[in-house]
């Protein structure tokens, strides 16, 4: 059977989408703290040849399961240790998520609307941002949408015998990416729906359920079992510290107000949020299966709202069902004023690159090029304005958002060394020490990307508190210096070294250490110094 025009267009759009995401992926240094952490752990996996136990700057690190580290490490093996390799498989996961979202949308929407849902999902602000971030969220989102597709295909489509094992596979991969959180977007709303929706009550037979469970266990559990056998006490750590404490306490310093996601979701789902809210307001006019999609959004939203630990990216996995619901609202409601408002909001988005050259110093020298760059953005916004009352609104608006994200990412790459990227700082240090023989100390901070970019572990004095609970020996003490005595022991063996600190801590370090330091590289937050012990010190 020949492919439908929508499928052909989807494949063309997917190739262009992934290409645009990958094009500047190697330009941006891995940013602290999240990307630096994942990139450094994956680098240690490659260097140590230990893919079972993640190490973070010399200390075993079990905050997250290993799938993201493995993906980044695989990128390093393919493309070398660097930014592009770190981001490569995350971008592919984003493309796969969009593909599965299209297939999922076909179960809820008539022909033509499924492609709109895929475009809404692919160009939602949070998804575009996370697609290139080296972290677990894009992988979790991909496997969530994948699991939802196989569940919904059994519920509303032509179910296949493969649905149950593939559902288990997707849950297993999601569990291996970020632990039990995937259940909040899949099993929790599924079981809640059983209480009032007959179609949810007998989806898989007992035999299929058993098969799906076995597939899940085979994929998800071997790594957990292996590391728990090798590291006694890890089960308690996984359950109590990394699961219960994240929900019930501010153990990780991520507490936010109760209403945090009430403004995060609308702000990161612009301009599609207007159509989403219109659909919520006219819920009874949607068909039953479209209304049920809200449960797969509201159930995890309520849990994350009540939890102590909150991050904007936590809710990204439900943006897929939000996109399908939004496309359903566009199908049922004319919304002429909201359509106009949505396009008008895209005009400042199109103008933003031109304005940035005049108000943001790091890109000031490019201001006239940026003015020219804004012209195609304005042209795309104009096309969206003319098409606002028809089916062309979504693709043209999506083109504006994708264009802005691509230009914005390029600008962020230029400004990154002045923000939280340390690749250029490491390069400046290496120019003075090309053989990387001298050690690097991060004083009163913790910057793991410097270990990655120097290919040599940096020590951290008075930095982030670490958890050396599962160490086999004391070798980590060379890199973890939480006390003055530990720092003095470290310095006693090093007559010269590089030091990275915040400028206001420079005098304190020189007084405490007895070193004299010269500046190597300076950025907005941190300064790299080359320090030598004073004569007679």
């Amino acid at each position: 059977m020949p492919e439908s025009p929508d499928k052909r267009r989807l494949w063309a759009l997917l190739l262009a989408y992934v290409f645009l995401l990958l094009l500047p992926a190697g330009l941006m240094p891995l940013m602290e703290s999240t990307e630096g952490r994942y990139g450094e752990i994956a680098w240690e996996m490659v260097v140590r040849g230990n893919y079972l136990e993640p190490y973070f700057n010399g200390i075993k690190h079990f905050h997250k399961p290993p799938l993201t580290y493995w993906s980044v490490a695989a990128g390093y093996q393919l493309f070398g240790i660097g930014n592009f390799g770190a981001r490569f498989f995350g971008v592919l996961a984003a493309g796969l998520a969009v593909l599965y979202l299209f297939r999922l949308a076909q179960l809820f929407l008539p022909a033509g609307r499924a492609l709109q849902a895929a475009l809404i999902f692919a160009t939602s602000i949070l998804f575009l941002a996370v697609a290139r971030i080296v972290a677990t969220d894009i992988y979790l989102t991909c496997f969530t949408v994948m699991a939802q597709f196989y569940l919904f295909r059994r519920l509303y489509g032509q179910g296949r015998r493969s649905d149950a094992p593939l559902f288990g596979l997707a849950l297993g991969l999601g569990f291996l990416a970020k632990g039990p959180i995937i259940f909040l977007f899949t099993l929790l709303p599924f079981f809640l729906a059983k209480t009032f929706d007959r179609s949810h009550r007998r989806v898989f037979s007992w035999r299929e359920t058993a098969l799906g469970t076995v597939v899940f266990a085979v994929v998800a559990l071997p790594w957990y079992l292996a590391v728990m056998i090798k590291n006694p006490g890890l089960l308690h750590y996984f359950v109590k510290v990394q699961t219960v404490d994240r929900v019930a306490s501010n153990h990780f310093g991520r507490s936010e107000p109760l209403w945090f996601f009430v403004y995060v979701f609308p702000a990161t789902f612009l301009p599609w949020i207007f159509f989403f809210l219109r659909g919520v307001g006219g819920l009874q006019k949607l068909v039953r299966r479209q209304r049920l999609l809200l449960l797969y959004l509201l159930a995890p939203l309520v849990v994350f709202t009540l939890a102590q630990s909150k991050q904007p990216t936590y809710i990204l996995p439900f943006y897929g069902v939000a996109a399908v619901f939004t496309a359903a609202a566009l199908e049922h409601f004319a919304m002429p004023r909201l359509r106009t408002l949505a396009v008008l909001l895209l005009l400042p988005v199109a103008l933003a690159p031109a304005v940035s050259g005049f108000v943001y110093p790091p890109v000031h020298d490019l201001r006239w090029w940026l003015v020219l760059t804004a012209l195609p953005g304005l042209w795309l916004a104009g096309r969206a304005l003319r098409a606002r009352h028809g089916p062309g609104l979504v693709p043209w608006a999506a083109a504006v958002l994708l264009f802005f994200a691509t230009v914005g990412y390029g600008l962020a790459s230029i400004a990154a060394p002045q923000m939280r990227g340390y690749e250029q700082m490491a390069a400046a240090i290496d120019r003075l020490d090309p053989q990387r023989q001298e050690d690097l100390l991060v004083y009163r901070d913790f910057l793991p990307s410097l270990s990655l970019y120097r290919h040599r572990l940096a020590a951290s004095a008075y930095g982030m508190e670490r958890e050396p609970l599962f160490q086999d020996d004391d070798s980590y003490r060379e890199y973890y210096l939480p006390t003055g005595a530990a720092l003095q022991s470290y310095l006693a063996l090093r007559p010269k070294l590089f030091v990275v600190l915040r400028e206001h801590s420079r005098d304190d370090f020189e007084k405490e250490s007895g070193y004299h330091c010269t500046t190597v590289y300076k950025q907005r937050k941190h300064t790299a110094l080359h320090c030598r012990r004073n004569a007679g010190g």
Side-chain angles (χ1 to χ4, degrees), residues 310-485:
K310 295 181 177 71
Q311 288 275 78
T313 55
Y314 286 179
I315 61 173
L316 180 64
F318 71 53
Y319 278 49
V321 292
V324 178
F325 186 86
T326 301
L330 284 164
E331 174 197 357
H332 284 86
F333 304 105
M335 302 181 282
R337 293 179 180 176
L338 288 179
R339 286 170 174 262
T340 301
L341 175 60
V343 176
L344 290 177
L345 281 177
L346 292 176
L347 292 176
V349 170
L351 285 170
V355 175
S356 66
F358 294 91
V359 300
Y360 191 51
V363 295
H364 181 72
D365 293 341
L366 300 174
R367 59 190 182 280
W368 297 114
W369 287 106
L370 291 173
V371 169
L372 293 176
T373 301
L375 295 180
L378 287 171
W379 180 80
L380 292 170
R383 293 301 301 263
L385 186 62
R386 287 194 291 273
R388 68 188 183 278
H389 296 308
L393 167 65
V394 171
W396 285 113
V400 175
L401 291 167
L402 186 56
F403 177 80
F404 170 75
T406 303
V407 175
Y409 194 83
L411 292 177
S413 301
I414 296 170
Q418 294 303 317
M419 297 189 297
R420 292 180 294 122
Y422 293 87
E423 184 176 21
Q424 290 189 3
M425 178 180 284
I429 293 171
D430 286 347
R431 282 193 290 272
L432 293 179
D433 180 26
Q435 301 303 315
R436 295 169 179 161
Q437 294 179 335
E438 294 185 39
D439 286 311
L440 171 65
L441 169 69
V442 181
Y443 183 73
R444 293 185 179 175
D445 223 323
F446 186 45
L447 302 170
S449 62
L450 286 171
S451 295
L452 167 67
Y453 286 123
R454 291 209 76 213
H455 297 186
R456 181 186 175 105
L457 291 182
S460 173
Y462 315 140
M464 181 181 73
E465 184 178 353
R466 306 298 307 279
E467 297 174 325
L469 304 174
F470 305 102
Q471 291 304 110
D472 301 320
D473 54 43
D474 290 340
S475 60
Y476 72 94
R477 296 185 184 278
E478 185 177 354
Y479 312 108
Y480 179 46
L481 312 172
T483 66

